[in-house]
Amino acid sequence: QRTADFLRSRLLKTRGGFWLDATVYLNQSLDWVHRHQVEQGAEYVGFHIDSAGYGASGVPIVENWFMAAVPGSVFMADWHDRFMTINDYGSVDDYVAAISRETDLTGVPAKMHTYLTMHIAALHVIQHRGIERYRLRLLRAVEGPFIYQHAMSWNPLYLGLFILYYRGREAPIVKYRGGERSLIQGFG
């Protein structure tokens, strides 16, 4: 996990472009991302998590499984640089403890802090530098990639059955999580 985090943040900081995890399924082109970048001047297009999408501080919790940054994105550079400070600590727990002393992590489940280190780094950057510093287009994941999970109350079995038998219009982009991937592969 951490290697992919280093790679994705470094590539997008230095070159811009897209990062999509292998568990993101596209059902249409990514032209909509370019429209956000051009029409809204967005330096970064991505998704934010949870039904409200914001922690208690009112700051979005940015996902890292879909990232689109223009070359020279200030947000991507700040996010990468903050995330890379993980190497300054003796452990991931030490890194999380240091960030949590100065960042409101409400909205990020405590049991997931050591797994969601990039999310925490983004939250820190936005809280401390100010969201107005960046030109972000953050979309609600439950209205896009997690629309099926949300509709099925996050139940992997219902989701698997829904996907197996669904015959309607597909969501443009879908993200599957660990248990969901295993279940869907079982239907294979």
Side-chain angles (χ1 to χ4, degrees):
Q1 172 67 33
R2 209 83 55 229
T3 301
D5 290 343
F6 292 138
L7 182 61
R8 77 181 91 207
S9 67
R10 177 70 178 168
L11 286 171
L12 291 177
K13 174 188 175 180
T14 58
R15 299 182 181 270
F18 291 90
W19 179 279
L20 284 75
D21 282 1
T23 56
V24 173
Y25 296 89
L26 298 176
N27 294 312
Q28 67 178 232
S29 78
L30 293 173
D31 291 345
W32 58 272
V33 174
H34 292 294
R35 280 194 300 278
H36 285 300
Q37 290 171 332
V38 171
E39 294 170 8
Q40 298 173 354
E43 67 172 280
Y44 180 90
V45 178
F47 292 92
H48 61 89
I49 59 173
D50 77 86
S51 58
Y54 294 86
S57 62
V59 173
I61 301 167
V62 182
E63 282 284 14
N64 68 348
W65 40 259
F66 179 98
M67 305 164 77
V70 298
S73 166
V74 175
F75 175 66
M76 201 63 241
D78 287 352
W79 187 2
H80 168 78
D81 293 347
R82 181 59 177 123
F83 175 67
M84 292 304 292
T85 65
I86 198 169
N87 295 317
D88 299 338
Y89 297 90
S91 70
V92 174
D93 287 326
D94 292 344
Y95 170 78
V96 169
I99 287 183
S100 67
R101 283 192 290 276
E102 53 191 35
T103 306
D104 179 1
L105 300 182
T106 304
V108 182
K111 67 181 180 182
M112 298 291 288
H113 283 180
T114 58
Y115 178 70
L116 299 176
T117 51
M118 272 199 78
H119 298 67
I120 289 169
L123 199 54
H124 174 87
V125 163
I126 293 170
Q127 284 181 20
H128 289 272
R129 302 274 171 97
I131 198 165
E132 63 282 348
R133 172 181 166 90
Y134 309 111
R135 292 174 289 116
L136 307 177
R137 180 63 175 121
L138 299 174
L139 307 164
R140 290 185 68 207
V142 296
E143 293 174 353
F146 286 145
I147 195 165
Y148 297 146
Q149 292 90 330
H150 186 66
M152 297 294 119
S153 301
W154 301 91
N155 182 310
L157 178 59
Y158 294 159
L159 176 66
L161 292 171
F162 176 79
I163 291 168
L164 184 64
Y165 295 105
Y166 185 63
R167 298 285 184 250
R169 182 173 120 336
E170 295 180 336
I173 177 174
V174 180
K175 166 69 173 148
Y176 295 112
R177 302 170 305 152
E180 298 157 356
R181 292 189 304 267
S182 300
L183 186 64
I184 291 166
Q185 288 171 346
F187 287 132

